[in-house]
Amino acid sequence: MHIRSLFYFLGEALKSVVRHGWMSIASIAVVAITLLILGCFMVLNYNVTSLAEDIKEQVQIVVYVDKNAGEEARDELQSKLVAHPELEEVRFVTKEEAMERLKKQMGDRAYLLDGYTEDDDNPLRDSYEIRTKIPENIPQVAEEVGKYPGVGYVDYGKGIVEPLFQFTGVVRWIGMFFMVGMAVTAIFLIAHTIRLTVYIRRREIQIMKYVGATDWFIRWPFIFEGLILGLFGAILPVILIQCSYQAAAEWTQENIYFVSLISPQLIGTEVAQLLVPLGVVLGILGSTLSVRKFLKV
Amino acid sequence: MIEMHHIYKNYGNDVVVLKDLNLVIDRGEFIFIVGSSGAGKSTLLKLLLREIIPTRGSIKIFGRDIMRIKRRQIPFFRRNIGMVFQDFRLLSDRDVFENVAFALRVTGVPAKEIRKRVPLSLELVGIKDKASKRPDELSGGEQQRVCVARAIVNRPAVIIADEPTGNLDPNTSMGIMNLFQEINVRGTTVIIATHAKELVNHFQKRVVVLEGGRLISDQERGVYINAH
Ligand SMILES: Nc1ncnc2c1ncn2[C@@H]1O[C@H](COP(=O)(O)OP(=O)(O)O)[C@@H](O)[C@H]1O
Ligand SMILES: [Mg+2]
């Protein structure tokens, strides 16, 4: 495409956007609302995922060593755990260490444990705290490790892990579903606007054909118009989300100190990186649809 | 330059618009296509623009079989033909200059070239002083001159006009026909479809008469004859 033509197309597209002011504003608004919902959803999804990630990182398997296990069984257990390909971290916690932790946890009431702390009286067991490389594999690995020699029993916060992963999974699916539905709506709205432009400019198009403008020369301004509508429709929600998320993040930081939201800068970039190209693609798709269907060139 | 042999044009199976038409037009000719309304004049012009294709027969323009022109090439083919319409088809949202410049802009002519060529074209049709007026500020005759200026601005080999005086009074019509003659004198082939009998007879040019889709007369220095 010649640079001169590029300016011509952009100029024509902009003129058209301005000339059909209300229609343009309406379609930009609809695209903006669509992308705004999408963007909000994305922010929510990111934070839920990050929260889930936080929780996941705290999820570990505790393998309690059988009290009656002999040296041999203990050695075998250790070497099997260390060699396990799906494990990331294997930490041995002696029952003395476990007792110390318990005391710390109980704080003021640690005196209750007096009389259990001596080695022979210690009711706790030696254990291995292990983490899997992929948190979702915890239940499966736990079951496998449970069958190793010298294992008393295995504990991994069953009942928390599975629902959590299910929840994040469902959130993602609903998200996908919404985004696809919204995108389709936006495409059709832009297509409708461009169709109107094609109709309004039908005279011009006819003359263009008579004087020998190429089909692509006739099409480009409409495609650019869709692109502009999509771009403006994306920029608005990006700004809006950035500003309101910034405020929300500051508020949360001051008032709910234990929840840490993803940083606004990161969210801003991520949202812009998704919405702007998406707006442009939606715009182009919408106009292409219209141009193909209604622009008989 | 234009050769039509045994041209038939049907719409569907029943509507026969042109029947066995033979016509050869040389470079630099001035030719009237006449006939009553519905005789097939516009259809004939549309064939020359390759807006439609014949049902049967062959058309050669500039030595090329129009059936062999690919879709992609049609715009470039049309740049050799200037079209003038009965209803002028000007764009009401821009001035005269821009209406004429439009034909160049949309065919990718540089702005510098446009600034040079448009005034020349406006001068030739005699409305140079109206360049910044909008079409609705002009008389019918002036609007038609703008349309002619737009048709000739990219220097086509042929000008095709379909009832160019259909919306004009007799005096103005004479002026427009004189303009076409001037353009013809400068070397451009001019083909005019019309049913303005007096005008045609006045100019004493080649006249092709269509009736019911048949070519019934083709005479040099002809007159508009009616079969009945
Ligand atoms: N697209 C079409 N479909 C069917 N009939 C048509 C079409 N175009 C023209 N005709 C018919 O062809 C005949 C000739 O039309 P036209 O070439 O416009 O005549 P003229 O220009 O001489 O008045 C008319 O009877 C008209 O109804
Ligand atoms: Mg006609």
Side-chain angles (χ1 to χ4, degrees), chain B residues 127-140:
Chain B
I127 49 165
K128 203 180 175 195
D129 52 326
K130 302 281 197 306
S132 56
K133 290 261 194 294
R134 293 204 169 221
D136 56 11
E137 297 173 295
L138 302 179
S139 70

Side-chain angles (χ1 to χ4, degrees), chain A residues 1 6 9-10 12-14 16-17 24 27-28 31-32 35 186-187 189-191 193-194 197 219-236 275-291:
Chain A
M1 190 193 299
L6 183 71
F9 299 144
L10 269 175
E12 287 302 298
L14 271 172
S16 185
V17 168
S24 301
S27 35
I28 288 173
V31 176
L35 291 183
I187 289 172
L189 276 157
I190 291 175
T193 309
I194 303 298
T197 318
R219 287 181 194 129
W220 275 117
F222 296 103
I223 293 173
F224 272 94
E225 187 178 350
L227 190 152
I228 290 169
L229 293 178
L231 190 66
F232 279 124
I235 289 172
L236 285 177
L275 293 199
V276 171
L278 201 64
V280 168
V281 168
L282 291 184
I284 292 174
L285 273 180
S287 49
T288 311
L289 207 73
S290 229
V291 161

Side-chain angles (χ1 to χ4, degrees), chain B residues 180-198:
Chain B
F180 280 123
Q181 200 174 11
E182 257 177 70
I183 291 166
N184 176 244
V185 167
R186 289 163 172 263
T188 309
T189 308
V190 175
I191 303 170
I192 300 173
T194 182
H195 54 242
K197 201 170 183 172
E198 264 96 81

Side-chain angles (χ1 to χ4, degrees), chain B residues 41-42 162-163:
Chain B
K41 304 183 293 294
S42 298
D162 194 357
E163 313 263 10

Side-chain angles (χ1 to χ4, degrees), chain B residues 11 15 17 35-44 46 162-163:
Chain B
Y11 285 108
V15 189
V17 181
S36 49
S37 181
K41 304 183 293 294
S42 298
T43 305
L44 174 57
K46 280 180 190 156
D162 194 357
E163 313 263 10

Side-chain angles (χ1 to χ4, degrees), chain A residues 18 43 52 83 117 168 171 220 294:
Chain A
V18 173
V43 170
T117 51
T168 50
V171 166
W220 275 117
F294 300 102

Side-chain angles (χ1 to χ4, degrees), chain A residues 50-87:
Chain A
S50 131
L51 207 67
E53 218 64 52
D54 277 356
I55 298 170
K56 269 196 279 190
E57 269 171 25
Q58 291 158 20
V59 174
Q60 58 184 1
I61 306 172
V62 184
V63 182
Y64 293 100
V65 180
D66 188 354
K67 265 204 164 101
N68 306 320
E71 278 299 313
E72 211 170 301
R74 283 167 176 260
D75 285 351
E76 193 184 345
L77 173 60
Q78 166 132 15
S79 54
K80 272 190 123 165
L81 286 177
V82 171
H84 197 291
E86 282 189 61
L87 294 181

Side-chain angles (χ1 to χ4, degrees), chain B residues 13-214:
Chain B
N13 288 326
D14 315 323
V15 189
V16 182
V17 181
L18 293 177
K19 289 176 214 131
D20 196 22
L21 202 95
N22 294 285
L23 184 62
V24 176
I25 301 171
D26 288 331
R27 193 172 289 275
E29 274 201 84
F30 190 114
I31 176 168
F32 285 115
I33 314 280
V34 302
S36 49
S37 181
K41 304 183 293 294
S42 298
T43 305
L44 174 57
L45 300 188
K46 280 180 190 156
L47 284 170
L48 297 181
L49 279 171
R50 208 197 180 284
E51 219 179 306
I52 54 173
I53 53 173
T55 311
R56 258 202 287 155
S58 80
I59 304 180
K60 267 190 174 177
I61 302 179
F62 312 124
R64 271 178 92 183
D65 184 345
I66 61 147
M67 296 304 286
R68 295 209 170 172
I69 300 175
K70 293 200 188 77
R71 231 187 94 86
R72 267 186 308 114
Q73 299 170 327
I74 293 173
F76 301 95
F77 163 74
R78 289 212 181 128
R79 290 177 196 183
N80 299 303
I81 303 172
M83 190 70 197
V84 176
F85 311 93
Q86 176 173 3
D87 58 358
F88 322 137
R89 304 212 185 159
L90 300 176
L91 298 168
S92 54
D93 63 350
R94 56 200 86 187
D95 64 19
V96 166
F97 184 96
E98 277 308 318
N99 263 284
V100 176
F102 187 71
L104 299 176
R105 289 201 201 288
V106 302
T107 48
V109 176
K112 203 174 138 207
E113 189 70 16
I114 293 175
R115 278 194 298 273
K116 230 167 51 193
R117 279 208 235 163
V118 174
L120 284 177
S121 187
L122 288 176
E123 185 163 16
L124 201 115
V125 303
I127 49 165
K128 203 180 175 195
D129 52 326
K130 302 281 197 306
S132 56
K133 290 261 194 294
R134 293 204 169 221
D136 56 11
E137 297 173 295
L138 302 179
S139 70
E142 287 166 339
Q143 288 185 47
Q144 190 57 296
R145 282 170 192 269
V146 179
C147 185
V148 174
R150 184 179 62 197
I152 61 172
V153 74
N154 67 349
R155 301 175 189 138
V158 190
I159 292 281
I160 292 178
D162 194 357
E163 313 263 10
T165 61
N167 287 357
L168 304 174
D169 62 53
N171 270 337
T172 318
S173 298
M174 187 61 86
I176 294 293
M177 287 301 183
N178 279 324
L179 177 59
F180 280 123
Q181 200 174 11
E182 257 177 70
I183 291 166
N184 176 244
V185 167
R186 289 163 172 263
T188 309
T189 308
V190 175
I191 303 170
I192 300 173
T194 182
H195 54 242
K197 201 170 183 172
E198 264 96 81
L199 278 176
V200 172
N201 291 344
H202 172 86
F203 279 92
Q204 302 272 304
K205 298 286 185 184
R206 180 176 172 195
V207 177
V208 169
V209 185
L210 292 186
E211 192 169 286
R214 284 187 187 282

